[in-house]
Amino acid sequence: MGFWQGDSDAVLGRCGDDVMWVAPDEGRYMRGIDSVSADFKRAAREIEPAHISQAQFTVVQNCGDACSVVGRYIVTVDGEKGLFHQTQERCQFTWERRTGELKIVSMFVSWPRRRMTADHAGIDGTLDKATRRYVEARIAAQSDKHRLVFPDVNGPIRFVSLNEILWVGARRKHTIIHTVSGDYEASIGLSEVERSLGPGFVRVHRSFIVNPSYVSLIERREVVMTDDTRVPVPEKRHAEVASKLMRTCG
């Protein structure tokens, strides 16, 4: 998280002296803490302050003294900068235990090199798909009077625009509200939430309801959302769910 706020030391302080750094753009393939440190600090100055959400990390290899971790997360440029940009990024870190301390020995961190600025929306003057969806949702939220009102498990009463909700899912007696800006947990059940969502949402599983506007793919046993999250669908209900989604979108 510190890296996306311009603090390169948050990563560099955990690196070994011979760390290997690989990035998707040309020229970022280097070894050694001095070279990597100079490049990271230069990159930190180029990146607009942002925050991450919907982070998922997995240990893909662990042999005791070494492990590899891969992850993906949504990066959103902080609103006070007057920019709208949201994209999914990925990373991979390999750690080794050296003299009793874990150190990063290789890493890959993606980030978009063409950052959105006030006068630059891309080479062809258009927004990329992820940014367009984010902007449209935020604009719609500002004018939309249809909101989901629910008690948060942490105490406050929340008001969330229906246009910002991707899906909702049951978690025991509570409900997870998955939105373009993050997750909330409502201290009420899924059935009660469903009554407030209205006909624009589709129940695809006994534990999940989705917003068809954010569906990118319907597969045999799941629905893939625009942020790559996957919502399960009972195979025997595939045809019924697909028909409802297409009818609602149409």
Side-chain angles (χ1 to χ4, degrees):
M1 180 60 189
F3 176 76
W4 294 103
Q5 293 293 326
D7 180 14
S8 57
D9 291 334
V11 176
L12 296 172
R14 295 172 172 82
C15 292
D17 291 340
D18 59 347
V19 62
M20 186 74 190
W21 162 229
V22 181
D25 48 321
E26 184 179 356
R28 281 190 160 90
Y29 184 90
M30 60 194 68
R31 180 184 292 276
I33 189 63
D34 291 339
S35 298
V36 173
S37 178
D39 191 65
F40 254 57
K41 290 179 179 179
R42 182 166 55 250
R45 293 192 296 269
E46 298 172 358
I47 296 174
E48 295 88 5
H51 63 274
I52 66 172
S53 61
Q54 303 172 32
Q56 298 176 321
F57 295 95
T58 303
V59 177
V60 294
Q61 178 265 341
N62 186 350
C63 62
D65 288 327
C67 69
S68 294
V69 179
V70 297
R72 66 177 183 177
Y73 42 87
I74 300 295
V75 176
T76 306
V77 172
D78 289 343
E80 60 268 19
K81 294 296 180 180
L83 306 176
F84 290 98
H85 187 65
Q86 186 178 63
T87 183
Q88 184 182 105
E89 303 300 333
R90 294 167 173 80
C91 66
Q92 178 172 345
F93 292 86
T94 300
W95 300 71
E96 284 187 7
R97 189 184 305 278
R98 297 181 173 180
T99 63
E101 185 178 6
L102 281 175
K103 289 290 186 180
I104 299 171
V105 296
S106 70
M107 58 184 172
F108 165 89
V109 180
S110 70
W111 67 76
R113 300 296 298 151
R114 280 167 43 200
R115 278 292 171 185
M116 305 300 294
T117 62
D119 58 354
H120 179 228
I123 292 177
D124 59 358
T126 61
L127 299 175
D128 60 62
K129 291 181 179 179
T131 304
R132 188 185 307 114
R133 285 195 301 268
Y134 179 72
V135 172
E136 289 173 349
R138 297 304 298 175
I139 293 174
Q142 295 299 317
S143 58
D144 184 23
K145 298 183 183 300
H146 300 288
R147 300 194 175 208
L148 176 64
V149 182
F150 59 89
D152 191 286
V153 292
N154 295 316
I157 301 297
R158 291 194 180 276
F159 295 73
V160 177
S161 169
L162 298 185
N163 286 314
E164 291 194 290
I165 299 173
L166 281 76
W167 55 263
V168 299
R171 175 179 286 178
R172 303 182 185 88
K173 295 182 179 181
H174 294 169
T175 304
I176 298 300
I177 315 295
H178 183 72
T179 77
V180 295
S181 55
D183 289 354
Y184 305 103
E185 184 170 349
S187 58
I188 55 176
L190 184 63
S191 295
E192 187 172 348
V193 170
E194 183 176 24
R195 288 193 290 271
S196 299
L197 292 175
F201 286 72
V202 175
R203 186 185 278 260
V204 299
H205 185 280
R206 67 180 182 179
S207 299
F208 292 95
I209 301 169
V210 304
N211 183 343
S213 298
Y214 289 100
V215 172
S216 65
L217 190 65
I218 305 172
E219 297 185 343
R220 177 61 57 180
R221 296 181 179 177
E222 58 190 6
V223 170
V224 183
M225 309 304 290
T226 54
D227 66 347
D228 287 339
T229 56
R230 294 173 177 267
V231 178
V233 175
E235 188 170 1
K236 63 182 180 181
R237 290 193 56 208
H238 172 267
E240 173 195 349
V241 168
S243 176
K244 285 183 177 180
L245 289 170
M246 289 186 289
R247 188 166 60 249
T248 304
C249 286

